[in-house]
């Protein structure tokens, strides 16, 4: 029994010696120098349709033992926006001893704008035919970085009554993955079914323009149809706009048509002026 105990003790001591020697060797052979990443600019400016090469512009990496490591720099993910269009990105590189180096710098998207709502057709409904599902079916959203955000639209408020003709408002909200949240009031029109036998078809239900830009109302007219679906001369359509291009906000262009035989129709184009 004593020999067994002595053997166990000897094995334990031998193990400690081997472990200690391995640690000493590892310490002596360790790489004392960590790699370094350097940027030649504080803020990287790139377009929304950037490439991986553009993300790495202005960066170099080196290590005293391994030399140039620039080609091994890896870009991480974008942080949430500090302000719309400006965020942080962290880069990392490893040397041959698996020692890391990291660098965080700001990234600005030079052509960025907040997500925008889209409409397949104007938010104009006949009495008794509109509904929440009809509204959401016409709505969409696009973001320059995330693409389609249609599934992220929520209606936060509305005063619409689809059973009674009138002008109403719905409040919509959406956010992209970088934290840019857009809240927008959009007008809804419910019209009486009688007396609206002409259909004014627009090529979109909503347009965005920059502050100070003009708008050509006629450019959004696609066609004019009678109750049988026949094409009529679009010169029968007149328009009236309340758009103030100098002041950011939500506006409308009102289109009306009459054929001289008692038939008429109307629709609205929503115009968002962005500051």
């Amino acid at each position: 029994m004593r020999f067994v105990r002595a053997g166990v003790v000897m094995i334990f001591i031998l193990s400690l010696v081997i472990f200690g020697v391995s640690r000493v060797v590892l310490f002596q052979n360790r790489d004392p120098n960590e790699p370094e990443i350097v940027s030649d600019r504080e803020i990287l400016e790139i377009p929304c349709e950037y490439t991986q090469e553009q993300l790495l512009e202005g960066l170099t990496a080196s290590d005293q033992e391994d030399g140039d490591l620039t080609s091994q720099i890896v870009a991480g993910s974008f942080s949430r926006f500090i302000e719309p269009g400006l965020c942080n990105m962290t880069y990392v590189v490893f040397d041959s001893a698996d020692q890391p180096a990291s660098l965080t710098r700001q990234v600005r998207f030079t052509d960025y704008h907040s997500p925008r709502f889209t409409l397949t057709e104007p938010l104009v409904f006949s009495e008794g035919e509109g509904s929440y599902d009809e509204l959401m079916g016409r709505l969409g959203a696009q973001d320059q970085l995330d693409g389609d955000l249609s599934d992220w639209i929520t209606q936060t408020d509305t005063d619409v009554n689809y059973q009674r003709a009138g002008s109403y408002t719905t409040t919509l909200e959406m956010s992209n993955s970088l934290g840019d949240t857009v809240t927008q009031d959009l007008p809804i029109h419910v019209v009486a079914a009688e007396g609206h036998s002409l259909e004014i078809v627009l090529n979109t239900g909503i347009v965005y323009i920059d502050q100070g830009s003009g708008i050509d109302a006629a450019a959004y007219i696609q066609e004019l149809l009678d109750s049988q679906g026949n094409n009529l001369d679009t010169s029968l359509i007149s328009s009236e706009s309340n758009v103030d291009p100098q002041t950011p906000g939500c506006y409308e262009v009102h289109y009306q048509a009459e054929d001289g035989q008692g038939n008429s129709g109307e629709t609205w184009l929503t115009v968002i002026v962005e500051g």
Side-chain angles (χ1 to χ4, degrees), residues 195-200 224-228 230-238 256-266:
H196 288 83
S197 53
L198 301 184
E199 181 183 2
I200 303 171
L224 177 64
L225 304 175
D226 64 17
S227 58
Q228 304 301 313
N230 299 311
N231 278 284
L232 302 178
D233 191 342
T234 55
S235 64
L236 297 174
I237 302 173
S238 62
Q256 293 178 292
E258 294 184 3
D259 65 0
Q261 301 177 15
N263 300 308
S264 64
E266 63 181 334

Side-chain angles (χ1 to χ4, degrees), residues 186-197:
L186 293 182
I188 296 177
H189 296 277
V190 178
V191 297
E194 62 274 9
H196 288 83
S197 53

Side-chain angles (χ1 to χ4, degrees), residues 28-41:
Q28 291 176 339
N29 294 331
R30 81 187 193 286
D31 183 352
N33 301 303
E34 295 180 351
E36 182 181 27
I37 302 177
V38 177
S39 175
D40 66 3
R41 64 203 72 179

Side-chain angles (χ1 to χ4, degrees), residues 69-182:
L69 296 175
T70 302
S71 63
Q72 299 182 45
I73 299 174
V74 177
S77 57
F78 297 112
S79 72
R80 292 173 69 84
F81 279 144
I82 301 168
E83 60 185 52
L86 180 67
C87 60
N88 287 323
M89 169 161 279
T90 299
Y91 303 85
V92 65
V93 71
F94 291 87
D95 63 14
S96 59
D98 287 332
Q99 295 185 110
S102 64
L103 173 77
T104 299
R105 67 177 176 179
Q106 292 186 337
V107 177
R108 185 186 304 281
F109 297 100
T110 55
D111 55 349
Y112 178 80
H113 60 68
S114 294
R116 291 174 173 176
F117 292 100
T118 63
L119 287 173
T120 56
E121 57 183 296
L123 297 182
V124 181
F125 304 92
S126 295
E127 279 182 314
E129 295 183 2
S131 66
Y132 171 80
D133 289 339
E134 284 281 338
L135 168 67
M136 300 306 290
R138 298 184 186 187
L139 279 166
Q142 285 292 320
D143 180 65
Q144 292 172 292
L145 299 173
D146 290 343
D148 188 4
L149 292 178
S150 301
D151 291 340
W152 298 98
I153 300 174
T154 57
Q155 179 179 259
T156 59
D157 193 20
T158 186
D159 63 356
V160 64
N161 181 351
Y162 293 107
Q163 307 306 313
R164 179 177 297 178
S167 296
Y168 304 95
T169 301
T170 181
T171 303
L172 305 168
E173 185 175 286
M174 62 174 166
S175 299
N176 64 16
S177 62
L178 277 69
D180 191 359
T181 299
V182 175

